[in-house]
Each structure stands twice: as C-alpha cells, then as structure tokens.
Amino acid sequence: KGLPAFKGEFRKQYPRIGQRKIILFLSRLDPIKGLNLLIPALKILKERHKDFYFVLAGAGRKDYQERLKIDLEAAGLTGSALFAGFLEGEAKYALLADSDIFVLPSYHENFGMAAVEAMISGLPVAISDQVSIYKLVEEYQAGLTFGLNSRQIALSLEKLLMDKELCLKMGKNGRRLIEENFSAEKIARQMLEEYQNVRNNWNI
C-alpha cells in the first residue's frame, strides 16, 4: 500500500483540521528539537496566515508535553495545534500523506531521520542549519534552511505556505536527494536506531 492510498485518513480522524495546510513536526518531543523557537515562529505566522494547522507527532516526557501545551496556549495556537502522539506504521504514513510541510528546528541533529522520512514522502522540509543534512537539502533545493531564530523559521514556513508550486518542486527534489544519497540499508538502520532510542528513553 503506497503513501497516496493513505491520503485523507488522518484528516478524517481529526475533522477540525478541515482543509488547512498541515505543518508537521515529527520527532522526539525534547528541548533539543527547538520547539521553544518554533512556537513563537508559529505565533508570528498565525498573525499573517490562518490557513494552517500544526501537528506534533512524537513521544516525550509528560512534564515537557505539559510545558508545550502551556506555551501553545500562550501563543494563541491551541485551536490550531494537536498532539498526535508517537505514531508508527500505517498511522504515520497517513499523517505524512496528509501533511504539507515538515519542520525541524533542532539545536543539534546527527542525521535527521525524520527529515529523511518527510523527503521520502515528497514533503518540502524546513530545517535548521544544525540538522546534519542541511547542506544536501540546500544543494538539491529540497527545502528551506534557517538559523536558530524564530523570525527566520516563520519566514521559511510562510514562503512554503504561500507557494504551492515551490512545495511540489521541493518535494520532488527531496525524493531525488534520498535516491541519490542514501541506500535503503542505511535508512533502515537509522530508523531502527531512532525507534529504539525513543522506546528506551520513554518506555513506550
């Protein structure tokens, strides 16, 4: 069952999203992932655009998730955000199939497996210049990169929200980037390590 076959399933599960564009954060919920920069960036974006919905998919400490909920509420984003939890298999494919933009504003990222998964799925990516594959993303024009700055993040997301053709082009370039640079074995190994890391850390 290919990714297109899952199209519409995630939105059906969360009808409040409607036809708004989904900005996806798919990673471990941890301070190193830069959510403290992303939430203010989304607040800036919300002041100018109403047609997006922010989905956080991943596992994390309960106290940190509660902190994020407070921050989202303070930023006026509660009605435009949801925690999807840790997803795998078909549930994750459904989310990737329905998402429009992937974002990862990490302070440090050795590989960026989540960004790789997003590019395999044909999504344009917006990542920090601390994600190790950012230079490849720039070279292939598979997405936009930014410094650790909320305004830069907001500008990158706005550019993608406003330009459907650019998103389609970057999505295709991302698939080509993966095909030309990463073997299936390497990706599978990295994915296994990521899942084991999440399960070990959060006892899922």
Side-chain angles (χ1 to χ4, degrees):
K1 189 173 179 180
L3 202 67
F6 292 96
K7 192 78 175 166
E9 289 186 13
F10 185 82
R11 289 176 186 271
K12 197 183 296 179
Q13 192 180 347
Y14 296 98
R16 63 183 179 274
I17 297 174
Q19 294 307 307
R20 284 181 279 182
K21 291 178 180 175
I22 292 176
I23 296 175
L24 171 63
F25 173 90
L26 173 66
S27 194
R28 187 161 45 97
L29 302 181
D30 185 276
I32 202 168
K33 301 297 182 177
L35 286 162
N36 67 312
L37 299 172
L38 181 55
I39 291 172
L42 292 171
K43 182 184 179 183
I44 294 168
L45 195 62
K46 192 71 178 173
E47 289 165 3
R48 300 165 70 156
H49 301 278
K50 307 295 183 189
D51 65 335
F52 74 86
Y53 209 95
F54 178 45
V55 176
L56 300 95
R61 292 173 61 96
K62 273 197 161 50
D63 57 344
Y64 184 61
Q65 288 192 54
E66 290 306 312
R67 175 77 255 170
L68 291 174
K69 287 176 184 174
I70 291 166
D71 291 346
L72 285 165
E73 186 174 359
L77 293 163
T78 304
S80 304
L82 69 85
F83 288 81
F86 178 75
L87 302 179
E88 55 188 337
E90 294 195 353
K92 182 164 71 171
Y93 300 150
L95 174 55
L96 286 164
D98 276 354
S99 295
D100 297 281
I101 298 164
F102 170 86
V103 63
L104 185 63
S106 291
Y107 285 96
H108 177 72
E109 199 79 37
N110 280 330
F111 183 68
M113 190 59 234
V116 169
E117 287 185 280
M119 287 188 283
I120 291 170
S121 305
L123 293 181
V125 300
I127 62 174
S128 79
D129 58 10
Q130 302 303 306
V131 178
S132 65
I133 59 170
Y134 87 95
K135 286 186 177 176
L136 270 177
V137 168
E138 290 178 347
E139 180 188 335
Y140 277 79
Q141 297 184 344
L144 300 176
T145 64
F146 46 76
L148 297 172
N149 175 288
S150 294
R151 191 157 292 280
Q152 283 188 35
I153 298 169
L155 289 171
S156 296
L157 293 174
E158 182 175 39
K159 188 171 182 181
L160 293 172
L161 276 178
M162 296 288 289
D163 196 334
K164 186 179 179 181
E165 289 303 315
L166 180 66
C167 287
L168 289 171
K169 180 184 170 186
M170 287 182 165
K172 287 177 184 173
N173 290 344
R175 283 203 184 103
R176 186 165 60 85
L177 182 160
I178 302 304
E179 287 167 9
E180 294 180 5
N181 293 276
F182 300 107
S183 67
E185 291 79 10
K186 181 172 183 178
I187 291 172
R189 189 167 63 251
Q190 290 283 347
M191 286 179 75
L192 187 60
E193 287 172 6
E194 288 278 334
Y195 287 136
Q196 286 174 341
N197 183 41
V198 169
R199 289 179 185 280
N200 290 342
N201 282 342
W202 311 120
N203 299 315
I204 293 172

